[in-house]
Amino acid sequence: MDDMELALDFRRPNADLACPSLEQAERLLACYQTALGHELPNRLVAIQGLARMLETLVGDQLDAEAREMLDNLASLTRRADELVRALASIGRLRRELKAGGTAAPGEVAAEAATEMNLLSPGRPIEYHGESALPLLTVSRGALHQLLLHLLRNAVQAAVADRPLRIELAVRRVADGVEFRVADNGGGLDGAQAERLFEPFRSTDAEHHGLGLFLVRQVVAEVGGALRVHSEPGRGTTITVLLREGSARGAC
């Protein structure tokens, strides 16, 4: 068998030592994406399968405390799987932004409203869009995800004492195209509004709190603007402005 030698030389001039190379950053990101996109989900699915198998095989032999522990294991694994998949979506979103392209805002918004109506029956999205909207210099997939996250956040704002009403409106403004998602849900107080776009912050313990963080990332990446108006007990309106031809592309 022939000998094999491998040498990796990462030495750089002293002046460059404080600046990690783009190549190194890309390698780390690729590792992160592989772990979140394949390795971790596969293992979590296996754990969920084992939990279901245990329940099937020995569930009738467990006392109440043991059955509760098994239920908690299945629930925690499911939530971990949802979180891992949400984190993986950050990598996919970055690739969408890096790919660039153009998007027809009215068409993408109508598709997002239709998709959310299918995902959340009984909580209809009212869509109002102007005709003859300009193309936006942003990935179609990234814009679609941005709107889905905004609509999903509105759906999660439902309160028990009244039917939920959600409106998605798209219109042309002087600076570009404005998207407005309004709901009549529980609304936010000042402290909640300040943390709205931070990762892992959610008013609902059942959700991971990454959706609006991803919205912020997209808007920041393409040089847009965000505005939030909310009244506790009356609802929230989030407005996104995307300018024509302003996308910078992912760095």
Side-chain angles (χ1 to χ4, degrees), residues 150 192-199 212-216 226 228 238:
L150 287 176
Q192 290 173 324
E194 287 179 2
R195 301 191 302 269
L196 190 61
F197 296 102
E198 295 179 10
L212 292 183
F213 169 73
L214 293 176
V215 167
R216 180 191 180 281
L226 272 168
V228 179
I238 299 180

Side-chain angles (χ1 to χ4, degrees), residues 133-249:
L133 293 168
L135 287 176
L136 294 174
T137 309
V138 62
S139 157
R140 179 187 178 91
L143 179 59
H144 184 78
Q145 287 301 311
L146 179 152
L147 294 172
L148 278 183
H149 285 305
L150 287 176
L151 293 172
R152 188 174 291 115
N153 180 74
V155 167
Q156 293 168 2
V159 290
D161 62 349
R162 60 180 176 272
L164 182 65
R165 182 175 181 270
I166 301 171
E167 179 185 9
L168 168 59
V170 186
R171 63 171 183 155
R172 185 167 193 167
V173 294
D175 292 337
V177 176
E178 180 184 88
F179 302 84
R180 181 172 59 85
V181 175
D183 67 68
N184 66 337
L188 304 166
D189 59 31
Q192 290 173 324
E194 287 179 2
R195 301 191 302 269
L196 190 61
F197 296 102
E198 295 179 10
F200 308 112
R201 296 281 190 176
S202 176
T203 56
D204 185 344
E206 287 297 312
H207 298 96
H208 45 66
L210 280 175
L212 292 183
F213 169 73
L214 293 176
V215 167
R216 180 191 180 281
Q217 294 302 102
V218 173
V219 175
E221 192 65 50
V222 301
L226 272 168
R227 185 171 67 252
V228 179
H229 174 77
S230 189
E231 298 181 55
R234 301 191 63 180
T236 299
T237 299
I238 299 180
T239 304
V240 173
L241 171 65
L242 299 182
R243 298 179 174 85
E244 296 179 59
S246 65
R248 296 192 295 263

